[in-house]
Amino acid sequence: MTLPPNVYDAEPIPEAAREKVEALLASGDLFRYTAPENAPVTLLESEFAEMMGVRYALAVSSCSAALFLSLKALALPRGARVMIPAFTFAAVPSSIVHADCDVVLCECGADYRIDLADFRAKLPGVQAVIISHMRGHTSDMDAIMAACDAAGVPVIEDAAHSLGTLWDGRKIGTIGQIGCFSFQSYKMVNSGEGGILITNDADAVARAIIMSGAYEHMWKKHKARHGENSRDLIDALERWQNKLPLYNLRLSNLSAEIARAQLPEVPRRIADGRRNHDLVASLIAASPWIDVPAKLAAEVRAPDSLQFNLVGVSDDETRAFQDAAAARGVKVQVFGLSSDNARAFWNWQFLGTLPDLPKTRAMLMRACDTRLPARLTPDQCALIADALIAAADDVMGEVKAYGT
Ligand SMILES: *Cc1c(COP(=O)(O)O)cnc(C)c1O
């Protein structure tokens, strides 16, 4: 039997990074603000803004830092209520705690997306929302933007897993006021750690630039994307000089060069990731125990992992399925069943009393998560699909198919 591939290894960093990194090693010029211009972090910002079609980008130490700075950039008062989907990573509510705001959790459905009825019901009294496109699943951005625009509530997009995703032809991360991306190793662009925020709002990015650690007049090295007028940005930066705390969440030149070398790879990673996902999704749909929720009509996804729900099974059978898949060489995590999972909202005990969110909880108890990196070949993907189907049969096949 051919074993399924290792899905945890990263892709090698493109060769183009080697020369740049060696130059940095030789010069020791790792701080983004030392060079008079064109430091690698500045170039990364400009290239990323170009790629996304926005005016401004600010590279920082993580997506969590970008989310925190986005909240600070919006000048939310202490104790402001910030709504997020209850299906997200613990770093997202943590960024709200870090910004001295209060977390409001919104229900998510079996399709992993925001439950719009709950979202609309909880919107009054909320001062900002962070739309976490968890695992790259896009919630209905038309409905969300309409509701938030009508209520005057700013939208931050947590697009950590959505680089390359389109909504009705628009790039995810450019629809809300601010979009945040991650360069942590499990994301589409891997610099170990790192993140970037993008926006067309000069005032917001000026505040974020200063708070990220552009002390004294280092902000003078920030510009609008190449070819765009920087006057609004400079005015805003002058306005905020000395008025904001410095949180020092900068990115180093070394990480920037590692990330820059991967930007030309992004279109291939998007296309191959989508091909791999759609192949496995269509194959495992043959199993009566597996449901892969459909994407929304306006969405063109860029997945690097696969989520699916087990249907008509108990907790014990779900656990047994995880074990059977592991025995066949595929590691599946069920968000709500693995202990201390950082994506299960009831483990966010730092929030204090947690609400009862039955829809999200039910989804997390049956939603299976498996990595599916873009570098896999279709044959390797087919092995993964075979293992998942066989694991479901191992556990449920005999008991249920011929049962009562
Ligand atoms: C990875 C991730 C984050 C955190 O990104 P870091 O760069 O590790 O801080 C936030 N939100 C989502 C949806 C993520 O997948």
Side-chain angles (χ1 to χ4, degrees), residues 30-44:
L30 302 180
F31 183 51
R32 67 165 297 168
Y33 292 124
T34 305
E37 58 183 3
N38 293 335
V41 180
T42 307
L43 294 175
L44 171 66

Side-chain angles (χ1 to χ4, degrees), residues 2 4 35 46 89 91-92 150 153 185 213 225 232 243 264 277 292 295 306 314 316 326 341 345 379 401:
T2 317
S46 161
F89 182 57
V92 179
V153 173
S185 286
R225 156 186 152 206
D232 289 354
K243 297 204 172 65
H277 174 276
V292 187
K295 70 173 192 66
L306 171 74
S314 67
D316 283 346
N341 194 299
F345 65 86
D379 284 349

Side-chain angles (χ1 to χ4, degrees), residues 158-173:
D158 168 15
H161 257 305
S162 293
L163 182 57
T165 302
L166 300 177
W167 176 263
D168 201 13
R170 296 169 72 192
K171 295 188 170 73
I172 284 298

Side-chain angles (χ1 to χ4, degrees), residues 61-65 67 88-89 91-92 132-136 158-161 181-184 186-187 192-195 343:
S61 53
S62 68
C63 180
S64 304
L67 291 168
T88 187
F89 182 57
V92 179
S132 218
H133 303 293
M134 186 55 174
R135 288 290 192 269
D158 168 15
H161 257 305
F181 294 84
S182 175
F183 299 142
Q184 185 268 341
Y186 294 158
K187 314 297 159 101
E193 302 285 357
R343 297 151 202 89

Side-chain angles (χ1 to χ4, degrees), residues 273-342:
R274 185 181 303 140
R275 175 202 65 200
N276 289 350
H277 174 276
D278 292 354
L279 174 63
V280 178
S282 69
L283 291 171
I284 63 175
S287 168
W289 318 111
I290 292 176
D291 177 50
V292 187
K295 70 173 192 66
L296 300 186
E299 203 183 358
V300 178
R301 301 193 61 225
D304 59 6
S305 65
L306 171 74
Q307 290 71 45
F308 58 91
N309 297 326
L310 293 184
V311 287
V313 301
S314 67
D315 284 0
D316 283 346
E317 286 165 333
T318 306
R319 282 195 191 91
F321 170 78
Q322 283 186 108
D323 294 342
R328 290 176 174 276
V330 178
K331 189 159 181 288
V332 171
Q333 75 163 338
V334 178
F335 298 108
L337 286 179
S338 68
S339 55
D340 303 323
N341 194 299

